[in-house]
């Protein structure tokens, strides 16, 4: 009688990328010669293009020409594409009739634009990325608690103490990947007469987002975190404040008529989009969002949830490594795991991960210094982040490499430079993509 033996769990759990990214198959040099498959676990910082998006950009390039006022056929094509892209972004996030889509450079730019339009105080939590802390002119800070429930209560106390125009909250933390219950924050803000802006830089790449369902007023996001790294982002939301705010950029395209003493400004979005728009960025951003829709939110969530669990479990199993969390009751998370090390420098470990193992991560405080300093006990953390192009091999290579460096130290010698830790003898050749001179 034969007995069925279950396959080893790692074999059953093997997960391939959900979609092809432009860096699929990339090999990177390691110290001492040779190349290894690149393990890209830095997607929260900037994600490679989806292969389909890169193809769209290639298809667009021959048609690239002037936008909006050109009379040639390619100009008509490109103008239509930019406006189609606006409609795609609008539909993707469930924008309503009263909303506009203003194209920006990135999330930071979108928040800085919104900051010029807010007619009052802005309340933020201390967990925010600097992009959602620094632009607000009249900012009031609420220190988050270690539960979402208590954090909402603290926010309510702050809003009750004095009216605010806006609550600006992240949809997902770029440090811990933890999701925030945006709809609850929106309901609370509205109950106190404030609007809500959602920093979706880390949310949009991983979740379906619908402004109507969340009852959120504004959403900001970046193409480069959403598999379209061509320099566009967006502010989507209620037109009224934006229609009367001073033009974010002054110049051609933002005006209907200019006399020497008088200027007639367009309403938004044109009001804030002077100058030649980033056609490649805008069209590629929309193409990426359409591809995310095609893949479907459930497949994305399932793929990333399994990998994130594997990543956290693997990292937490290493002696001397502790995973950082902000909340004990977060309603889920995206594919971000940040750890701190009991001993040694994370900068050195991150440098060795890259130079000796071809693993890309991020070290530091992730532009969220107040949050990091509150939840971590060490000066810096190491963040691994994943997405559509990630596989279980990526996670396993990272965990094995981290484990070996933490236990035995790097193999090569490194020195601390003004630019972080670097190998003393770096023989890794850079690719000749462009040579200055
Ligand atoms: N908010 C969050 C939560 C982020 O993670 C980031 C990028 N790390 C930003 C804002 C800023 O995004 P960008 O650099 O694209 O402007």
């Amino acid at each position: 009688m034969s007995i069925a033996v279950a396959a080893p769990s790692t074999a059953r759990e093997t997960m391939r990328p959900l979609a092809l990214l432009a860096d699929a198959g990339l090999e990177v040099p390691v110290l001492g010669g040779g190349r290894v498959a690149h393990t890209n676990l830095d997607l929260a910082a900037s994600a490679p293009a989806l292969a389909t998006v890169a193809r769209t950009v290639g298809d667009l390039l021959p048609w690239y020409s002037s936008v909006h006022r050109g009379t040639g056929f390619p100009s008509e094509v490109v103008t239509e594409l930019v406006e189609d892209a606006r409609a795609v972004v609008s539909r993707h996030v469930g924008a309503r009739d009263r909303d506009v889509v203003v194209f920006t450079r990135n999330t930071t730019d979108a928040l800085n634009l919104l900051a010029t339009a807010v007619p009052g105080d802005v309340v933020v939590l201390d967990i925010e990325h600097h992009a959602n802390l620094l632009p607000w002119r009249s900012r009031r800070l609420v220190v988050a608690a270690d539960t979402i429930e208590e954090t909402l209560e603290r926010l309510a106390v702050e809003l009750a103490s004095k009216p605010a125009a806006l609550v600006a909250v992240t949809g997902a933390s770029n440090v811990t990947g933890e999701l925030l219950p945006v709809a609850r924050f929106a309901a609370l803000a509205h109950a106190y007469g404030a609007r809500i802006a959602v920093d979706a830089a880390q949310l949009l790449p991983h979740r379906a987002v619908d402004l109507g369902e969340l009852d959120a007023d504004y959403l900001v996001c970046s193409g480069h975190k959403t598999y379209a790294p061509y320099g566009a982002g967006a502010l989507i939301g209620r037109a009224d404040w934006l229609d009367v705010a001073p033009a974010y950029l002054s110049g051609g395209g933002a005006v209907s008529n200019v006399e020497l003493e008088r200027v007639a400004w367009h309403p938004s979005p044109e009001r804030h989009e002077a100058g030649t728009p980033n056609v490649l960025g805008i069209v590629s951003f929309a193409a990426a969002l359409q591809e995310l829709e095609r893949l479907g939110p459930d497949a994305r969530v399932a793929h990333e949830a399994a990998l994130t669990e594997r990543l956290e479990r693997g990292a937490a199993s290493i002696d001397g490594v502790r995973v950082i969390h902000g909340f004990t009751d977060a309603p889920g998370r995206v594919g971000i795991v940040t750890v701190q090390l009991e001993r040694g420098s994370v900068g050195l470990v991150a440098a060795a991960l890259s130079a000796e193992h071809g693993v890309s991560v991020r070290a530091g405080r992730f532009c969220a210094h107040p949050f990091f300093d509150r939840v971590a006990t060490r000066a810096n953390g190491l963040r691994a982040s994943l997405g559509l192009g990630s596989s279980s091999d990526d996670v396993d290579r990272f965990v094995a490499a981290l484990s070996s460096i933490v236990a035995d130290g790097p193999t090569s010698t490194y020195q601390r430079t003004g630019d972080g830790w670097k190998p003393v003898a770096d023989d890794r050749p850079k690719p000749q993509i462009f040579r200055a001179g």
Side-chain angles (χ1 to χ4, degrees):
M1 190 178 76
S2 67
I3 297 172
V5 177
S9 64
T10 47
R12 269 191 289 123
E13 284 172 11
T14 295
M15 279 160 285
R16 298 180 184 290
L18 194 62
L20 211 57
L21 302 191
D23 70 342
L26 184 73
E27 293 191 329
V28 290
V30 286
L31 295 178
R35 306 178 87 79
V36 298
H38 181 219
T39 301
N40 189 356
L41 290 176
D42 195 19
L43 271 70
S46 225
L50 277 156
T52 52
V53 170
R55 274 200 295 280
T56 303
V57 170
D59 292 346
L60 170 58
L61 280 175
W63 294 96
Y64 180 79
S65 55
S66 69
V67 187
H68 288 139
R69 286 161 297 279
T71 54
F73 189 73
S75 285
E76 279 183 41
V77 170
V78 164
T79 302
E80 208 169 292
L81 281 173
V82 168
E83 292 317 313
D84 284 355
R86 203 185 297 279
V88 168
V89 173
S90 173
R91 185 200 64 212
H92 186 84
V93 300
R96 298 135 302 193
D97 287 347
R98 66 184 189 205
D99 297 327
V100 284
V101 174
V102 183
F103 285 116
T104 62
R105 287 175 292 185
N106 47 37
T107 301
T108 304
D109 200 26
L111 287 165
N112 275 271
L113 161 56
L114 184 57
T116 66
V118 181
D121 290 359
V122 180
V123 178
V124 289
L125 301 177
D126 69 334
I127 66 165
E128 299 297 333
H129 187 281
H130 296 165
N132 193 20
L133 285 176
L134 304 180
W136 309 117
R137 291 167 183 170
S138 184
R139 181 187 67 209
R140 286 164 30 208
L141 200 70
V142 172
V143 175
D146 60 5
T147 64
I148 300 271
E149 294 304 323
E150 167 73 18
T151 303
L152 283 161
E153 280 169 30
R154 290 185 187 181
L155 181 60
V157 169
E158 177 60 38
L159 292 172
S161 74
K162 197 172 154 203
L166 184 74
V167 172
V169 72
T170 193
S173 162
N174 68 308
V175 177
T176 62
E178 291 162 323
L179 295 170
L180 275 83
V182 171
R184 294 188 63 195
F185 279 83
L188 183 65
H190 292 156
Y192 286 94
R195 293 185 183 182
I196 186 154
V198 183
D199 175 351
Q202 298 297 346
L203 186 63
L204 199 62
H206 305 286
R207 289 289 187 282
V209 177
D210 188 289
L211 280 172
E213 268 173 31
L214 297 172
D215 196 17
D217 302 289
Y218 301 94
L219 182 138
V220 289
C221 50
S222 294
H224 73 100
K225 294 191 195 285
T226 314
Y227 310 101
Y230 298 90
L235 164 64
I236 304 120
R238 295 175 72 158
D240 52 357
W241 288 354
L242 296 167
D243 283 345
V244 296
Y248 184 53
L249 285 175
S250 299
V255 288
S256 56
N257 190 51
V258 177
E259 295 166 23
L260 290 180
E261 304 303 331
R262 202 155 42 120
V263 177
W265 297 95
H266 279 309
S268 58
E270 292 87 350
R271 188 182 194 87
H272 302 295
E273 288 183 349
T276 302
N278 173 5
V279 175
L280 296 181
I282 290 168
V283 173
S284 65
F285 192 9
L289 296 180
Q290 292 214 133
E291 185 63 8
L292 292 184
E293 288 169 15
R294 203 186 60 74
L295 289 167
D298 295 347
R300 273 192 284 159
V301 171
H303 175 71
E304 293 176 6
L307 285 177
T308 308
E309 207 210 308
R310 190 183 189 105
L311 178 58
E312 169 149 9
R313 210 176 345 109
S317 71
I318 302 170
D319 214 25
V321 172
R322 185 168 78 75
V323 178
I324 290 175
H325 296 285
F327 299 105
T328 54
D329 58 350
R333 68 192 300 191
V334 299
I336 294 175
V337 173
T338 293
V339 300
Q340 59 179 21
L341 308 180
E342 269 168 26
R343 293 171 298 281
S345 156
V346 288
L348 173 60
V349 172
L353 280 169
S354 169
E356 297 174 23
H357 301 271
V359 176
S360 293
V361 292
R362 189 64 49 132
R365 291 187 287 164
F366 320 108
C367 297
H369 295 178
F371 181 38
F372 188 86
D373 292 347
R374 179 166 62 75
V375 293
T377 52
R378 300 296 307 271
N380 289 295
L382 187 134
R383 181 181 75 184
S385 54
L386 49 81
L388 299 179
S390 307
S391 68
S392 45
D393 280 352
D394 291 327
V395 170
D396 295 350
R397 276 195 222 117
F398 164 71
V399 172
L402 180 63
S403 174
S404 124
I405 297 169
V406 166
D408 304 323
T411 307
S412 297
T413 312
Y414 296 78
Q415 63 189 340
R416 199 179 194 144
T417 70
D419 207 15
W421 287 89
K422 302 281 175 203
V424 170
D426 195 347
D427 56 355
R428 293 172 297 164
K430 296 259 165 45
Q432 293 298 319
I433 294 166
F434 163 76
R435 196 194 287 271

